[in-house]
Amino acid sequence: MTARILDGKALAAQIEAEAASQAAALTQRYGMSPALAAILVGDDPASALYVRRKAEAFGRAGLRSETFHLSADTPEPEVLALIADLNARADIHGILPQQPMPPQITPRTVFEHVDPAKDVDGLGPINMAALLVGRPRLVPNTPAGIMRLLQHTGVDPTGKEAVVIGRSVIVGRPVAVLLLQANATVTWCHTKTRDLASHTGRADILVVAAGKARLVTGSMIKPGAVVIDVGINRIEGKLVGDVDFPSASAVAGWITPVPGGVGPMTIAMLLKNTVQAAEAQFHAARHV
Ligand code: NAP
């Protein structure tokens, strides 16, 4: 193995500690304590696990979080009514509608109803637009975590070839925009891309967010590249990424493990966004 491991768990712990001390400072200075409301609709076990992990991370950092668990048959207007209540609560600073949602609910509609100041997922239209025009406010958590991991390698994206596999709104699109803002030359790949390996093979920075186990193998990677594996796939009860770790780590310069790479960073960036949102709401309220 030649690659250095990009340890998301360790970096996330550092970011959680930063968020915890920022939150403690807000409490001390202004008597406020940043808080998240997570909305879980239905009984998807993976979603329940993610919400629990987020709540645990908030607890570890001394931040408040509340979980609103609604039944799987909850009509969309009821979810929107809950969001309206949470938008109006001064003691809630971040709202997190956990995806996926049952079919009667359109996730985009839900995100559109979250107050942009409380959109700590960064997935609502206002925060997405801010990102696109180069004035990011609350940045989506997973892409923000990927950029922090990249920063940790010390590799400057300026002028580098960055290839992103995946164009979802939660990962692929925003991370490509962030890489572009960091002055990389960005290529976006998806299921209609012809000859994926011809693109991945020239990537200095390769971000893989396809949700396909072992889609990228060592022979598709440029020697020395930074490889960030976002994928989470369950194969025979084991979690694996979108990158074939044994072959890829023999070629790459840096590589994220799965688990322990991007996953913990996503939660850490949610904490950071919640603290940032709480501080901004506090100052905005004082200037009304
Ligand atoms: P998604 O909405 O299903 O999008 C997958 C994207 O990958 C699509 O744009 C798709 O292309 C592309 N794709 C799929 N198969 C491909 C292939 N064979 N070749 C090239 N492109 C391909 O998934 P997502 O929500 O972005 O998530 C991606 C993965 O990241 C999943 O495994 C998910 O569990 C994981 N994830 C992890 C975290 C974390 O915190 N670690 C957070 C979010 C997501 P088309 O657009 O053409 O269909």
Side-chain angles (χ1 to χ4, degrees):
M1 178 168 129
T2 62
R4 293 171 73 179
I5 300 292
L6 252 176
D7 185 347
K9 214 170 157 191
L11 189 55
Q14 218 175 297
I15 294 166
E16 278 186 26
E18 269 167 40
S21 68
Q22 284 164 352
L26 286 179
T27 307
Q28 203 182 23
R29 215 176 308 150
Y30 307 126
M32 65 174 308
S33 81
L36 176 80
I39 303 172
L40 179 62
V41 190
D43 301 304
D44 178 51
S47 298
L49 178 68
Y50 289 137
V51 167
R52 206 162 53 239
R53 287 218 181 118
K54 286 167 187 170
E56 283 164 7
F58 273 68
R60 275 197 305 277
L63 273 74
R64 286 187 299 118
S65 73
E66 288 180 34
T67 299
F68 294 83
H69 191 174
L70 309 179
S71 63
D73 59 358
T74 305
E76 188 174 271
E78 268 182 43
V79 179
L80 301 184
L82 171 60
I83 289 176
D85 285 347
L86 296 169
N87 282 341
R89 272 178 61 179
D91 65 330
I92 291 291
H93 309 96
I95 302 173
L96 179 106
Q98 181 65 42
Q99 292 197 73
M101 300 207 171
Q104 76 277 15
I105 296 166
T106 307
R108 273 284 112 208
T109 307
V110 170
F111 291 125
E112 280 161 15
H113 280 76
V114 174
D115 178 345
K118 298 189 178 188
D119 172 28
V120 286
D121 247 352
L123 297 176
I126 301 292
N127 282 305
M128 277 289 175
L131 180 64
L132 200 59
V133 297
R135 303 193 56 166
R137 293 187 210 165
L138 293 168
V139 176
N141 305 144
T142 304
I146 292 168
M147 294 307 286
R148 276 297 285 262
L149 283 165
L150 181 58
Q151 195 186 357
H152 186 71
T153 64
V155 172
D156 178 0
T158 302
K160 299 277 189 329
E161 293 282 340
V163 173
V164 177
I165 306 182
R167 55 178 167 178
S168 73
V169 173
I170 66 165
V171 191
R173 280 177 209 227
V175 83
V177 172
L178 288 168
L179 285 162
L180 188 65
Q181 267 158 24
N183 295 318
T185 301
V186 183
T187 303
W188 241 322
C189 300
H190 44 77
T191 53
K192 306 294 182 287
T193 299
R194 279 177 286 173
D195 193 4
L196 190 62
S198 70
H199 296 285
T200 59
R202 54 182 171 70
D204 303 302
I205 299 162
L206 177 62
V207 178
V208 192
K212 294 278 171 302
R214 302 183 183 119
L215 173 68
V216 172
T217 55
S219 62
M220 298 166 71
I221 293 172
K222 180 176 174 178
V226 178
V227 178
I228 298 184
D229 187 356
V230 189
I232 302 174
N233 309 286
R234 214 169 281 274
I235 304 265
E236 292 157 8
K238 231 183 110 194
L239 281 189
V240 296
D242 290 351
V243 175
D244 177 53
F245 189 85
S247 63
S249 58
V251 183
W254 287 90
I255 191 165
T256 55
V258 177
V262 175
M265 293 297 290
T266 298
I267 297 180
M269 299 320 278
L270 173 69
L271 275 168
K272 274 214 90 95
N273 269 359
T274 305
V275 175
Q276 181 187 324
E279 185 165 17
Q281 283 162 53
F282 179 80
H283 290 304
R286 283 214 302 195
H287 287 97
V288 169

